[in-house]
Every structure is written in C-alpha cells, then in structure tokens.
Amino acid sequence: MKRVLLSWILIFLTAFSLYADKHAKELVKKANDKFRGRSSYAEATLTVVKRNWSRALSMKIWALEPDYALILITSPARDRGTVTLKRKREVWNWIPSIRRMIKIPPSMMMQSWMGSDFTNDDLVRESSMVEDYFHKIIRQDTFAGYDCYVIQSLPKPEANVVWGKLLSWISKKDYLFLKTEYYDEDGPLVKTMVASKVKKMDDRIIPTHLELIPHNKPGQKTILEYQKIKFNIKLNPSFFSQQNMKRVR
C-alpha cells in the first residue's frame, strides 16, 4: 500500500513539475512576444554612461523576429549612417566614414557594441531566450510596485549561449519584463537589466526605459530609451541585406 501511495505521489510531483515548467516558458514567451511582436520599427536613444563622461546615440531599429534586425545610427554627426545588421547568427557593420563592410568574427562577439554595455552577442542571441533555456518559476516577488513571478532560466545542454543562468522578474499583470539578472557559467552575477517608464506604445503597454548595469564597473551603465515603436509592420527578409545597409535612411 505504501509503495502504491509513493508511486502516485511521484507521478503527481512529476506532472506538477512539468506543468510548472510549461507555465514558466509560456510566461517568458508572452513577455518576449509582447515586447517584440512579429516585426517592429522603433526610434530610440542609447546613452552610454561612464564614470567621467557620457555619450548619446539616436537610432532607428527595424526587426523581423527572431532572425533579422537592422540598426541605423542617426546622430551624432560623427556616427551618422553607421549600420549594424543581424541575419540569424551573423552580425555585420557598415562604417560610412571608411566605406567598409565588416563582418564580426566569433572571437569578437563578446565585444562591446558601439561602446555600450551591450555586446555583439546580445544582438544575435537576444531572441533565443525562450527556446535555448529551461524555465522554472522559483518564487513570487514585488518589484517596482508590481507583483511578479521570478523565473530561473538555465541553458539547455545543446544551446550555444554564454550565460550560465538568468533570473527574470515578469509582472503578473501585462506580462512585463521588469528586471533580468545575467550570471556567467561560474556563478557570479555579471549584469542586470532594469525596465521602467511603462506606457502605451502603439497597441500595447510596455516598459520604454531600459538600464543595463554591469556589476564589475562601478558608475557605468547603458540606457536605452524608446521614443516610438510600431509593431507588426510589413517587413520582408530582403530588407535586411548588406546592400540595404548602405542606403537605408
């Protein structure tokens, strides 16, 4: 009798664990889809803050999820016309001042993008979070006044990712990514993304102010502020070409 009862308990716990993991993945997907849509066009400002100085870049961003993105720098004058193209797992830069197209090699994927705390690897792998990790709700918490699920994401064995663990705070209302902690493979916390200034953009409510804070560089952070976003616009993969990098405006 005890053996039968134990078997039923194990079956129940296994089923509950599978349900909980599926629910966690659905939450991550909802939050990810809400912020990105199937496609999008955005106008934003990227501000890099160091201890003794800061610089701001204005940009236009076109994205066709999950494989394509094109980022055009519109100011300041010295960077105007610089373009970054993501096509699946590849990243290309067009530098108009020297009229050169540069493919980013694997050895430089962890290098800073435009001097910010974002890396080239962030551009390539940002949309793989849903499928490249196992997700689990580990607790509930309150962050910035929102009731949140805290979800732990651990990489799948076959996934080609750099993070050993992610912790994400997703609001129960509206499914907003409000905070994400990035841990390296050895355990230490590397950086934290904090989202705020929640407002309506196009047809949805999303955070419009993102701060990426590295934990080994005191006084440094990168701020991404969205002024405009249009979701689910008409875009074709052909838009994301090396030829278009030179003529997009």
Side-chain angles (χ1 to χ4, degrees):
M1 183 66 183
K2 288 183 178 179
R3 204 174 280 178
V4 173
L5 181 60
L6 180 60
S7 296
W8 276 108
I9 291 173
L10 289 173
I11 291 171
F12 172 78
L13 290 175
T14 301
F16 180 79
S17 177
L18 291 172
Y19 169 78
D21 292 349
K22 182 180 179 182
H23 182 46
K25 182 178 179 180
E26 288 173 351
L27 290 171
V28 172
K29 186 176 187 308
K30 283 181 179 179
N32 189 71
D33 289 349
K34 182 167 189 181
F35 192 74
R36 304 187 188 289
R38 296 185 301 275
S39 61
S40 62
Y41 166 76
E43 296 176 8
T45 302
L46 183 82
T47 304
V48 181
V49 179
K50 307 281 187 178
R51 273 187 172 181
N52 301 316
W53 61 271
S54 65
R55 70 188 287 248
L57 300 169
S58 296
M59 61 185 70
K60 296 179 180 179
I61 307 166
W62 292 263
L64 182 60
E65 302 294 346
D67 293 325
Y68 304 95
L70 191 149
I71 305 171
L72 168 68
I73 305 300
T74 58
S75 71
R78 68 176 183 177
D79 297 303
R80 185 183 300 129
T82 300
V83 177
T84 296
L85 171 68
K86 165 194 167 182
R87 287 182 62 89
K88 298 188 178 180
R89 297 291 185 177
E90 296 182 340
V91 176
W92 298 80
N93 285 333
W94 165 248
I95 314 296
S97 59
I98 59 175
R99 300 197 63 79
R100 284 192 61 190
M101 187 80 66
I102 301 172
K103 183 179 181 181
I104 305 301
S107 60
M108 292 183 62
M109 291 305 288
M110 290 305 293
Q111 297 296 312
S112 167
W113 181 76
M114 298 299 294
S116 74
D117 295 298
F118 292 98
T119 66
N120 294 306
D121 189 81
D122 290 330
L123 298 178
V124 172
R125 306 187 194 283
E126 196 170 359
S127 297
S128 67
M129 181 180 180
V130 177
E131 298 299 334
D132 283 348
Y133 293 83
F134 293 114
H135 306 285
K136 181 179 181 180
I137 300 172
I138 58 172
R139 65 178 185 273
Q140 299 182 39
D141 195 7
T142 300
F143 181 78
Y146 290 84
D147 292 329
C148 298
Y149 296 105
V150 181
I151 295 178
Q152 175 182 271
S153 303
L154 300 177
K156 295 179 179 179
E158 71 278 8
N160 185 19
V161 296
V162 299
W163 303 115
K165 181 177 73 173
L166 305 174
L167 289 182
S168 301
W169 279 251
I170 298 178
S171 66
K172 295 180 180 180
K173 181 181 179 182
D174 294 323
Y175 306 111
L176 306 175
F177 271 120
L178 295 174
K179 179 182 176 182
T180 303
E181 294 180 344
Y182 299 81
Y183 295 80
D184 72 14
E185 294 177 336
D186 298 322
L189 176 63
V190 176
K191 59 185 180 181
T192 300
M193 177 81 81
V194 178
S196 60
K197 296 185 181 179
V198 176
K199 61 180 72 171
K200 187 171 184 180
M201 299 291 269
D202 197 16
D203 62 348
R204 63 197 67 190
I205 302 291
I206 60 169
T208 59
H209 181 98
L210 308 178
E211 292 194 10
L212 186 60
I213 305 163
H215 284 257
N216 61 344
K217 300 174 182 177
Q220 181 170 319
K221 63 182 176 179
T222 296
I223 302 166
L224 182 60
E225 185 101 35
Y226 288 95
Q227 287 85 43
K228 176 182 179 180
I229 306 181
K230 289 287 186 181
F231 292 101
N232 300 326
I233 63 173
K234 187 176 181 180
L235 279 175
N236 295 313
S238 59
F239 177 84
F240 302 90
S241 67
Q242 292 180 40
Q243 292 76 18
N244 202 32
M245 293 173 75
K246 302 176 184 180
R247 57 177 181 251
V248 69
R249 293 291 180 269

